[in-house]
Amino acid sequence: MESRIITKNLSFAYKTKQIINNVNLRIEPGQVLVILGPNGIGKSTLLNCLSGVLTQYNGQICVNGDDLKTMTIKDLSHQLALVSQGVNIKSNLTLFDYLLLGRTSFHTIFEQPDDTDKRIVEDIIEEIGLNDYAQTSLQSMSGGQRQLAIIGRALAQEPQVLIMDEPTSALDYRNQTVVLKLIRRLSSKGISIIMSTHDPNQAQIIGDLVGLLIDNQTYLQGVTKQILNDDNLSELYGTSISSTYNESLDRKIFGIGMD
Amino acid sequence: MTLIALVIVSMMMGRYDLSLSEVFKYFTGQANSSSSLILKLRFIRIIAVVLVGAGLSMAGATFQSVFSNGLASPNLLGVSTGASVGAAIAILNNKSIYWIEISAFIAGIVTVFLTLMINKLLHNESNITLILSGIIMSGLMQSVLGSVKYIADPENQLQSIVYWELGSFMKVDSQSLISVGPILIIGIIFLLVTRWRLNALSLDTYTIKTIGINPTINRNLMILFATLLTAASVCLCGVVGWIGLVVPHISRSIVGEDNRYALPMTAITGAILLLIADTLARSISVNDIPLSIITGFIGVPIFIVILVRRRNIGI
């Protein structure tokens, strides 16, 4: 089976500034890859390259074996969807109408959404647990619900890969749990997920793989158990980080040291 | 239904009031020659008003969606003034109505893209900056229009240019309707059939791209047709204020944000409002009152109410 996404020596420079360099990344069907790195290191840039938004990169990105640069915007959107950070969403549409937008590229400019589209959107609303809000305007929803709405819109594209830029950064603990559980359910259905986060504990919870953007030159990827340790994280963030094993959660918990 | 009833009432009203039965007789071809002549003129004018009302409102709704900016309208973006400059230059060169149309359209397009360029230079994505750019372009186009008026022949050219600035359907006749009407109809139909896509275009550029459509091509296509509608309206009746800004908001407050419903509603509401305004314009006094005066009196209070009601969700 083809890997969902492989990058070969992916680099991106903005004007003369090298943002990411020689990223070799690989993700298989149903895997969750969590990208960690300090602020401004280029996590969003990397995700925007992978999702086809930024195309002036060097190196190669393959999606299901095809070179991304040879694919049309439409074909790419049927394989891969981007979940951007939800804080700034401006739309006043209802949840249902907003999710329908994910179906846009399945139609020509002259067509309207059909019953299939509506059924798909209804199923997704059920999946993201917002049944009671289908006809609610996005502007009157909470931050957590809006983030779920954005994920829902991406799912309406029926993608095999979801790329998520800090999907939990603006959310409280309960909403973080809701989103992480959803990610786990989606990956069990075979959808590959690449997400960035500031919280190594999330990588511990849902990541099959972890990718570290250490500086603008190095990308290190491996299975979570091997990569996610105190030394790597301390080096990554440039501050002391240590972990303890929590028995009731049955996993390591990472915390920052203040010395 | 409301629109049809209004058309009939509007046919009855005017300097010479006519009865309902005379209007029905006209449509069944039994009216006497004098009232038939009046009704024919009124009918031509009413068709023009309905098309322009629908067209300008839809142009406004389209600009508002494409720029995801509730303050966008043909007037505030400078498109109307730009189009009237184009029309005025064609009049100055004694061109036919077709050339006036083409010239208005080209000048409208140039203005909207210059507005967008200024907006880009300002490196600020706030809603107000785009409108500021529109006001800057509008100001420039006003100066150009002033210069054109300065060199225009005061005997006949100046009069037609001034007519364009004030907004009136007084001079609409069957010839101008036949040459401009089809363009309005094409523009209206295009925007109506593509209205679902307008929803997607109000998203941010990155998201539009990742849902699988080309943001630049789609946006420019919509801007092109909205400008076409504006330019065609300007050719028929000059610059009419407020309709393109206010009507989309009225419609959305009735049927919601989804353009699948909001855009047809906008077309009908725009037609109704402009028909009311024009019927008043030709019935209140002996002379036709310029239309922008009436749309201003109707539009401003409505716009204030909308601004107050919608301040929570952002314009």
Side-chain angles (χ1 to χ4, degrees):
Chain A
M1 195 182 239
E2 297 263 24
S3 296
R4 283 285 162 75
I5 290 190
I6 302 177
T7 70
K8 289 174 193 146
N9 300 324
L10 175 65
S11 305
F12 185 88
Y14 182 70
K15 290 179 181 167
T16 54
K17 191 173 182 283
Q18 196 70 31
I19 314 265
I20 51 173
N21 209 3
N22 286 327
V23 172
N24 289 297
L25 166 161
R26 177 189 283 264
I27 183 167
E28 310 294 332
Q31 284 184 326
V32 178
L33 165 61
V34 179
I35 309 274
L36 295 172
N39 287 332
I41 198 70
K43 295 190 293 294
S44 296
T45 307
L46 172 61
L47 298 185
N48 284 333
C49 286
L50 294 178
S51 57
V53 171
L54 298 174
T55 50
Q56 303 304 101
Y57 59 80
N58 290 314
Q60 199 183 27
I61 301 173
C62 288
V63 181
N64 286 324
D66 294 324
D67 188 335
L68 189 145
K69 280 189 173 163
T70 65
M71 298 168 79
T72 62
I73 296 180
K74 182 179 165 182
D75 290 341
L76 183 64
S77 75
H78 294 176
Q79 301 192 26
L80 178 154
L82 175 71
V83 176
S84 50
Q85 296 182 32
V87 225
N88 301 323
I89 184 172
K90 256 168 126 188
S91 182
N92 288 327
L93 291 172
T94 63
L95 176 69
F96 190 89
D97 294 333
Y98 180 70
L99 262 56
L100 268 183
L101 298 183
R103 305 298 301 165
T104 305
S105 68
F106 293 83
H107 298 276
T108 70
I109 192 169
F110 300 112
E111 288 174 343
Q112 303 280 317
D114 55 28
D115 290 342
T116 317
D117 301 318
K118 289 173 186 165
R119 209 170 43 247
I120 289 169
V121 166
E122 278 163 13
D123 290 348
I124 292 169
I125 291 179
E126 180 109 25
E127 170 78 70
I128 59 177
L130 293 180
N131 309 36
D132 297 339
Y133 297 90
Q135 296 307 324
T136 307
S137 156
L138 288 186
Q139 293 305 321
S140 28
M141 294 173 98
S142 72
Q145 291 166 334
R146 260 186 256 173
Q147 186 65 52
L148 288 170
I150 297 177
I151 298 173
R153 195 215 62 230
L155 288 175
Q157 291 170 228
E158 301 185 297
Q160 296 169 326
V161 182
L162 262 191
I163 293 178
M164 308 170 105
D165 195 356
E166 298 187 12
T168 57
S169 61
L171 305 183
D172 60 25
Y173 275 141
R174 198 186 74 84
N175 282 313
Q176 286 185 24
T177 321
V178 172
V179 170
L180 294 178
K181 279 182 178 166
L182 175 61
I183 291 174
R184 194 177 264 170
R185 278 203 305 281
L186 295 173
S187 75
S188 72
K189 289 179 181 172
I191 297 177
S192 306
I193 287 153
I194 302 177
M195 64 173 270
S196 63
T197 177
H198 282 296
D199 185 357
N201 290 306
Q202 292 184 357
Q204 184 75 28
I205 299 167
I206 57 162
D208 301 302
L209 305 166
V210 173
L212 306 181
L213 276 171
I214 298 174
D215 49 44
N216 298 116
Q217 300 299 322
T218 320
Y219 174 78
L220 180 67
Q221 184 189 312
V223 289
T224 307
K225 261 187 192 158
Q226 286 171 3
I227 298 281
L228 212 59
N229 57 48
D230 298 0
D231 291 344
N232 277 345
L233 289 178
S234 299
E235 192 198 335
L236 181 70
Y237 291 107
T239 184
S240 117
I241 290 175
S242 60
S243 58
T244 52
Y245 180 77
N246 182 308
E247 255 178 56
S248 65
L249 293 174
D250 188 26
R251 65 166 187 263
K252 277 198 288 189
I253 306 284
F254 291 93
I256 48 173
M258 292 294 279
D259 299 326
Chain B
M1 279 306 286
T2 319
L3 183 60
I4 293 168
L6 256 168
V7 167
I8 293 167
V9 172
S10 174
M11 293 278 287
M12 290 157 61
M13 286 174 67
R15 227 150 294 151
Y16 308 99
D17 286 339
L18 294 166
S19 71
L20 187 60
S21 66
E22 276 167 306
V23 174
F24 276 116
K25 274 184 192 160
Y26 171 70
F27 283 117
T28 50
Q30 297 163 344
N32 62 46
S33 59
S34 66
S35 62
S36 169
L37 190 67
I38 294 170
L39 285 169
K40 189 185 169 204
L41 287 175
R42 276 187 197 166
F43 192 56
I44 288 170
R45 180 165 173 161
I46 287 168
I47 290 175
V49 172
V50 166
L51 288 177
V52 168
L56 272 184
S57 312
M58 288 173 70
T62 305
F63 285 131
Q64 288 174 11
S65 285
V66 169
F67 299 123
S68 51
N69 186 335
L71 296 172
S73 75
N75 291 37
L76 287 178
L77 292 171
V79 186
S80 302
T81 331
S84 35
V85 166
I89 290 173
I91 293 170
L92 194 67
N93 292 303
N94 296 315
K95 297 288 185 192
S96 70
I97 176 87
Y98 296 103
W99 279 108
I100 296 177
E101 262 175 64
I102 293 167
S103 176
F105 175 63
I106 292 172
I109 285 286
V110 169
T111 313
V112 73
F113 282 101
L114 284 176
T115 299
L116 292 179
M117 265 176 61
I118 296 174
N119 187 44
K120 232 177 182 173
L121 286 177
L122 295 175
H123 285 296
N124 184 331
E125 296 224 330
S126 90
N127 285 357
I128 297 298
T129 323
L130 177 67
I131 301 309
L132 186 67
S133 315
I135 291 170
I136 292 171
M137 271 318 290
S138 228
L140 177 68
M141 288 299 162
Q142 287 285 0
S143 299
V144 179
L145 195 61
S147 328
V148 173
K149 269 160 53 182
Y150 191 72
I151 52 175
D153 164 21
E155 289 294 306
N156 43 42
Q157 290 174 339
L158 185 62
Q159 199 195 354
S160 357
I161 295 171
V162 171
Y163 166 81
W164 249 268
E165 274 188 289
L166 295 172
S168 167
F169 285 91
M170 203 167 60
K171 286 191 177 175
V172 172
D173 53 22
S174 55
Q175 196 220 335
S176 59
L177 184 63
I178 285 167
S179 56
V180 180
I183 294 174
L184 284 167
I185 292 171
I186 290 169
I188 289 170
I189 290 176
F190 179 86
L191 289 180
L192 276 179
V193 289
T194 60
R195 64 190 189 276
W196 181 44
R197 186 140 299 187
L198 272 184
N199 284 358
L201 294 180
S202 54
L203 299 170
D204 64 282
T205 309
Y206 279 11
T207 310
I208 296 175
K209 206 170 171 186
T210 58
I211 64 171
I213 57 173
N214 186 312
T216 318
I217 293 176
N218 279 274
R219 278 187 171 143
N220 286 347
L221 198 63
M222 297 294 180
I223 293 172
L224 217 66
F225 273 91
T227 307
L228 186 70
L229 282 176
T230 310
S233 300
V234 166
C235 289
L236 263 188
C237 65
V239 179
V240 180
W242 293 100
I243 290 284
L245 178 64
V246 172
V247 172
H249 287 288
I250 300 175
S251 314
R252 283 195 289 264
S253 66
I254 300 171
V255 295
E257 300 289 328
D258 185 352
N259 278 308
R260 283 181 295 153
Y261 307 102
L263 206 67
M265 189 68 185
T266 298
I268 292 171
T269 314
I272 290 174
L273 265 187
L274 197 62
L275 188 55
I276 294 173
D278 183 61
T279 308
L280 290 174
R282 64 183 170 79
S283 312
I284 288 178
S285 79
V286 183
N287 295 315
D288 263 47
I289 300 169
L291 212 48
S292 285
I293 296 177
I294 296 178
T295 53
F297 277 125
I298 301 176
V300 173
I302 295 178
F303 193 58
I304 292 172
V305 172
I306 291 165
L307 277 178
V308 172
R309 274 184 51 191
R310 291 174 66 92
R311 69 185 186 280
N312 305 331
I313 53 173
I315 264 281

